[in-house]
Amino acid sequence: MTRSEHETETLIRDSLDRLAARAPDAAAVHEALARAGRKRQPASRLALVAAAVVVLVVGAVSGMQLLTRPDLAPAASRPVLGYTPEWLPDGFTEQYREGGPGITPQVRRWFDGPAAITLLAYSTADPEWSQTALKIASIKDQVLVHGRVAMLTGSSGTAELTWLAGDRHVLVLEVLGIPDARAIAQRVADSVAAEPVGVRGELRFGALPPGLAERSTVVKGSGPGNAGTELTAADPARPAVPLLRVIAGPNPPTPDKAVSATVRGGEGFFVAPATGRDAMVFVRLPSGRWLRVSGARPEAELITVANGVQLDPAPDYRWLGTTS
């Protein structure tokens, strides 16, 4: 959450408190209505009392809705990434977010031409990262990030800084193609705060083939105009290896050969597997964008996955190409 968002929420909460303070006592309202019934006051007065109560209730509900951030509530194919740098060099814009359930790594990436800054968050529940503190303590090239001992490696144009952000996550900051990369990495890392952002693309998995589970969601693009969403699924016993990939984007695939197939009730295409390439089905969506499903799976299974994919009518691509 940014500072301005925090201030906004504070103002809203203060407003709700003031509304609650001005709200009539429930017993007093009941008593007033009872007196009104005994004296047979005009209906207009009763309407005014009822309207006042409705205004207070609606105001409170609206305020609470403003305080909720649906995209920051984890859900299927809607990961939440927990960390945000509050400083980046001029010219860098965010163009990539990735996350997923369980111990799937969280990834955010900013670009300025060929130069890139990547912030990764790994779960300490992942055996590969559970002993990071011991690794950091054993090396000589140490620095401090937020008062914690961190590991900094790299040269003038490349740097990698690793530190523990509490007990649950190991953070890794990678800087590529920037002069004085080590100093830049240190400054960016010092600015990282536990401010979550959501990942809301245009796709949701439907039913998956037996033995597969959702692995990750990626939203990427240099701006909303060329944004894309990518979902992957994997064997839960080997979650690091994606076995199925679903992509939605503005451009169609351009295979050398494809045969017609019925996908999502219309004309789609099937591309047979080849050396170094999985089988794929693709189809044009009603929005004009293209959906493709690929993996080392039978054609019928890929079509079933494509048919079951759910389309989100309100993906959040606004942040692509911006600094936040």
Side-chain angles (χ1 to χ4, degrees):
M1 181 184 299
T2 64
R3 188 175 293 105
S4 62
E5 290 171 332
H6 175 74
E7 292 170 351
T8 300
E9 293 199 2
T10 300
L11 291 172
I12 294 172
R13 290 186 186 277
D14 291 342
S15 298
L16 292 176
D17 290 341
R18 288 195 296 272
L19 280 172
R22 293 200 301 268
D25 180 75
V29 171
H30 285 298
E31 184 179 348
L33 290 174
R35 287 199 306 270
R38 289 195 298 269
K39 295 179 180 179
R40 295 184 182 277
Q41 292 182 349
S44 60
R45 291 190 179 182
L46 293 177
L48 287 174
V49 173
V53 174
V54 169
V55 167
L56 288 169
V57 172
V58 170
V61 171
S62 298
M64 292 308 296
Q65 287 175 340
L66 285 172
L67 290 175
T68 60
R69 301 279 299 279
D71 289 344
L72 298 187
S77 300
R78 291 186 185 177
V80 174
L81 312 185
Y83 301 92
T84 298
E86 297 185 339
W87 180 85
L88 291 167
D90 291 340
F92 280 83
T93 61
E94 190 168 11
Q95 301 181 27
Y96 186 99
R97 289 179 183 175
E98 177 180 3
I103 61 173
T104 301
Q106 303 174 16
V107 186
R108 299 181 67 180
R109 189 167 287 130
W110 296 260
F111 291 94
D112 180 15
I117 295 175
T118 302
L119 178 63
L120 305 103
Y122 296 98
S123 172
T124 53
D126 184 341
E128 185 176 348
W129 295 91
S130 61
Q131 302 299 315
T132 300
L134 295 177
K135 294 178 183 178
I136 292 175
S138 67
I139 70 165
K140 297 180 180 179
D141 208 354
Q142 296 177 343
V143 295
L144 292 178
V145 176
H146 298 296
R148 291 176 174 266
V149 177
M151 176 172 62
L152 177 62
T153 60
S155 59
S156 60
T158 302
E160 183 174 289
L161 183 54
T162 304
W163 74 101
L164 271 72
D167 298 328
R168 296 181 59 189
H169 289 105
V170 177
L171 300 189
V172 178
L173 184 73
E174 298 175 348
V175 176
L176 301 173
I178 304 176
D180 203 10
R182 290 168 65 98
I184 294 294
Q186 178 76 63
R187 185 171 177 184
V188 174
D190 286 338
S191 78
V192 170
E195 295 182 357
V197 297
V199 182
R200 180 169 182 167
E202 62 190 282
L203 303 177
R204 303 285 178 270
F205 271 127
L208 284 168
L212 293 184
E214 181 178 339
R215 174 185 176 271
S216 67
T217 299
V218 173
V219 170
K220 58 184 176 180
S222 59
N226 66 356
T229 299
E230 178 180 318
L231 308 179
T232 64
D235 178 349
R238 301 174 60 210
V241 183
L243 300 177
L244 185 72
R245 199 176 302 272
V246 180
I247 299 173
N251 302 315
T254 56
D256 297 332
K257 184 178 180 181
V259 297
S260 180
T262 300
V263 183
R264 297 183 71 87
E267 184 183 17
F269 301 90
F270 170 71
V271 180
T275 303
R277 185 187 68 195
D278 287 336
M280 174 177 64
V281 298
F282 64 97
V283 65
R284 192 170 190 178
L285 298 170
S287 64
R289 293 165 67 80
W290 291 84
L291 174 72
R292 69 185 79 179
V293 180
S294 60
R297 323 292 294 192
E299 175 185 357
E301 197 170 274
L302 296 178
I303 291 176
T304 298
V305 171
N307 291 342
V309 166
Q310 303 170 30
L311 304 180
D312 191 325
D316 182 11
Y317 291 149
R318 296 169 296 176
W319 56 269
L320 287 164
T322 70
T323 56
S324 59

